[in-house]
Amino acid sequence: MIFHRKSEDALGIDWRGFYKTVIALVVPMALQNLINVGVTAADVIMLGAVGETALSGASLAGQVQYIMTLFLFGLTSGATVLTAQYWGKGDVRTIEKILGMTVKAAVIVTALFTVAALVIPDKLMLIFTSDPAVIAEGVKYLRIVAFTYVMIGVTQAYLYVMRSVERVVVATVVYLCSLLCNIVMNSIFIFGLFGLPAMGVSGAALGTLCARVLEVVLTAGYARVFNKEIKLRPRYILHTDRELFRDFMKYALPVVANEIMWGMGTAANTAILGHLGSPAVAANSVAQVARQLATVVSFGMSSAAAIYIGKTIGEKKLEHAKAYAKRFILMSLVMGALGGLIILAASGPAAAALSLTDTAKGYLRIMFFVMSYFVVGQAFNTTMVVGIFRSGGDTRFGLIMDVSTMWGCSILLGFLAAFVFKLSVPVVYVILMSDELIKIPISYRRYRSMKWLKDVTREQAA
């Protein structure tokens, strides 16, 4: 059994206070996830009104930023491992050093992507398409949006470190303002409102640039005016603590590799389905949006688990950390089940509302059913890997498990099912989406071993 209420009660935990704190963490982060989906949806809707070529060009050019954000998420997640525990320890000075390192690493990574997008945008587009018209639109987009990359790196590094020390509302406010700015400026520049020329895909990029500038201004204002406790100090950006940097890289690099391999796995799934016909592609694109919407709370839960349990470990309350982990597992299953029910309920209305072929609608119903149990497994595994395991510095296990189950099982078997055995689209889809089910017993066994429960902090010199 996972839960042992008698032993938990012996710890004297204030569970009402626990749930209040968790809700205060989860709600803003779930809203952030929803806002991110909203940004993508707004661009798709507006550029879809301009034309298929403009939409395709911007969408494929956006894959460059997607790959970059995988690196950033890995870096910031590695920082979270350390900062959450040092926050529990009350060591603000070390957190400021980690913040400086994270911002510095984010600037270096995003600067490389900026140079590539400005110097060889056509070569980058060739990775994703061979259509000259789509490449031309993508190049227009990249040459403007490239100037946002460093800004994205700085704001994400700062705001994610703030999240790990329980400052979660500021990121929600910043990204909500950015979304509203993006929608307004996109409308003006794409369609040429207020007497301006209609700029199409270039207007979408310019609208994004305006939104990113606003993010930097709001983040800098918060750092300067409101955040009196944890400062972004130039000396910690320029001069790195070597011992702390080794810890940072030890926990960050496996997460970076994990996110990249996971992102490539998602792209591989899309590529396999892409060769099975446009009905499969169309149905999968809708199913993936449904999955994203159904898991915004679950992903917020996993981030909350990393912060809360990491802080508890830093406070040297290991038995409390175990008890909290059990509760996060239960909540992840509840949130996953609710997400699955939402997807099942949306299956019929989605098929009826969309202008899809009968074949695509048939695929869509099957894919929604698969997604209804997939999101339960994803909620459980994400809480385990991103939340519980990373809270104790156990970042390598998630990398090993994701690579082996995705690339060694679901993608390999899905590829064989599609191109060697020529199985039907529904069967291929079930196989491609099987990795989360395979992970469940593996991640649960790791959880039971308690090998993830480690204090990774050091005594820092004065």
Side-chain angles (χ1 to χ4, degrees):
M1 291 290 291
I2 295 177
F3 298 97
H4 305 281
R5 185 170 299 278
K6 186 174 180 180
S7 60
E8 288 183 1
D9 290 343
L11 296 172
I13 295 173
D14 176 12
W15 288 113
R16 180 173 293 184
F18 166 79
Y19 287 119
K20 286 177 64 177
T21 304
V22 169
I23 291 170
L25 290 172
V26 170
V27 170
M29 289 190 285
L31 287 173
Q32 290 169 39
N33 295 333
L34 189 60
I35 289 166
N36 290 334
V37 176
V39 170
T40 303
D43 287 347
V44 167
I45 292 169
M46 291 185 191
L47 286 175
V50 174
E52 185 177 327
T53 303
L55 174 59
S56 298
S59 176
L60 293 177
Q63 293 300 304
V64 176
Q65 180 177 317
Y66 171 69
I67 295 169
M68 181 185 77
T69 55
L70 293 177
F71 280 90
L72 290 177
F73 185 73
L75 290 172
T76 53
S77 295
T80 296
V81 172
L82 294 170
T83 51
Q85 289 203 15
Y86 279 109
W87 181 240
K89 193 176 180 179
D91 190 344
V92 172
R93 182 169 172 269
T94 300
I95 292 173
E96 290 181 342
K97 291 181 180 180
I98 297 167
L99 174 60
M101 281 191 296
T102 308
V103 170
K104 183 178 183 178
V107 168
I108 293 171
V109 168
T110 52
L112 292 174
F113 276 86
T114 301
V115 171
L118 291 174
V119 176
I120 53 168
D122 51 339
K123 301 293 190 301
L124 294 177
M125 288 300 300
L126 273 171
I127 297 172
F128 305 106
T129 182
S130 57
D131 187 327
V134 174
I135 290 174
E137 292 295 294
V139 167
K140 291 179 189 176
Y141 187 85
L142 278 175
R143 283 185 169 150
I144 297 174
V145 83
F147 291 102
T148 70
Y149 291 167
V150 173
M151 289 186 277
I152 291 171
V154 172
T155 54
Q156 185 167 322
Y158 182 86
L159 293 174
Y160 271 59
V161 170
M162 289 304 104
R163 279 188 7 173
S164 68
V165 295
E166 302 177 278
R167 273 37 172 209
V168 294
V169 176
V170 58
T172 305
V173 173
V174 168
Y175 288 131
L176 178 59
C177 292
S178 174
L179 170 63
L180 297 175
C181 176
N182 196 26
I183 291 172
V184 171
M185 302 311 290
N186 271 9
S187 301
I188 293 171
F189 294 132
I190 290 174
F191 303 114
L193 305 181
F194 306 113
L196 294 174
M199 299 175 66
V201 71
S202 297
L206 198 55
T208 300
L209 178 60
C210 293
R212 300 308 182 196
V213 170
L214 179 62
E215 286 178 8
V216 171
V217 171
L218 292 175
T219 303
Y222 170 79
R224 179 88 176 170
V225 178
F226 296 103
N227 191 357
K228 302 297 184 182
E229 191 170 3
I230 298 171
K231 296 290 186 180
L232 178 59
R233 302 186 188 277
R235 69 175 181 271
Y236 293 147
I237 298 176
L238 298 174
H239 303 288
T240 301
D241 183 316
R242 291 185 180 181
E243 197 171 57
L244 199 57
F245 179 72
R246 283 195 293 269
D247 287 343
F248 176 78
M249 297 307 292
K250 177 181 178 181
Y251 301 114
L253 286 180
V255 182
V256 171
N258 193 352
E259 295 304 320
I260 292 170
M261 294 303 292
W262 181 85
M264 290 173 61
T266 303
N269 285 342
T270 303
I272 291 171
L273 291 169
H275 287 85
L276 299 181
S278 58
V281 175
N284 180 58
S285 64
V286 177
Q288 290 302 323
V289 172
R291 177 191 61 80
Q292 290 175 354
L293 292 172
T295 55
V296 291
V297 177
S298 297
F299 283 10
M301 186 74 67
S302 66
S303 297
I307 295 166
Y308 201 95
I309 299 173
K311 177 186 175 184
T312 305
I313 295 171
E315 292 172 335
K316 314 296 184 185
K317 298 178 179 177
L318 301 187
E319 292 302 318
H320 288 70
K322 293 178 186 178
Y324 296 146
K326 294 175 187 177
R327 293 298 173 101
F328 275 111
I329 293 170
L330 177 61
M331 289 188 290
S332 74
L333 291 171
V334 171
M335 291 298 104
L338 288 175
L341 290 173
I342 290 170
I343 289 177
L344 283 177
S347 175
L354 296 170
S355 300
L356 300 175
T357 64
D358 289 340
T359 302
K361 287 184 178 181
Y363 290 160
L364 184 64
R365 291 187 181 94
I366 294 169
M367 289 179 179
F368 267 48
F369 174 74
V370 173
M371 278 298 169
S372 70
Y373 64 77
F374 178 89
V375 296
V376 179
Q378 188 170 54
F380 177 84
N381 292 316
T382 303
T383 297
M384 285 289 199
V385 174
V386 177
I388 295 172
F389 298 165
R390 288 183 188 174
S391 71
D394 189 11
T395 57
R396 287 176 54 192
F397 178 79
L399 169 63
I400 295 168
M401 183 175 69
D402 278 350
V403 170
S404 60
T405 55
M406 284 189 77
W407 291 94
C409 294
S410 62
I411 293 174
L412 174 61
L413 295 177
F415 177 87
L416 293 174
F419 304 119
V420 177
F421 300 108
K422 309 293 184 181
L423 300 179
S424 66
V425 169
V427 173
V428 172
Y429 194 78
V430 168
I431 294 171
L432 289 175
M433 296 295 109
S434 65
D435 60 298
E436 294 295 346
L437 297 182
I438 299 170
K439 290 176 191 174
I440 289 174
I442 301 171
S443 58
Y444 180 66
R445 183 176 180 181
R446 183 68 173 188
Y447 160 75
R448 292 284 292 176
S449 74
M450 293 298 164
K451 292 180 180 178
W452 55 270
L453 190 60
K454 300 174 185 175
D455 184 345
V456 300
T457 62
R458 297 176 183 267
E459 293 300 326
Q460 298 295 313

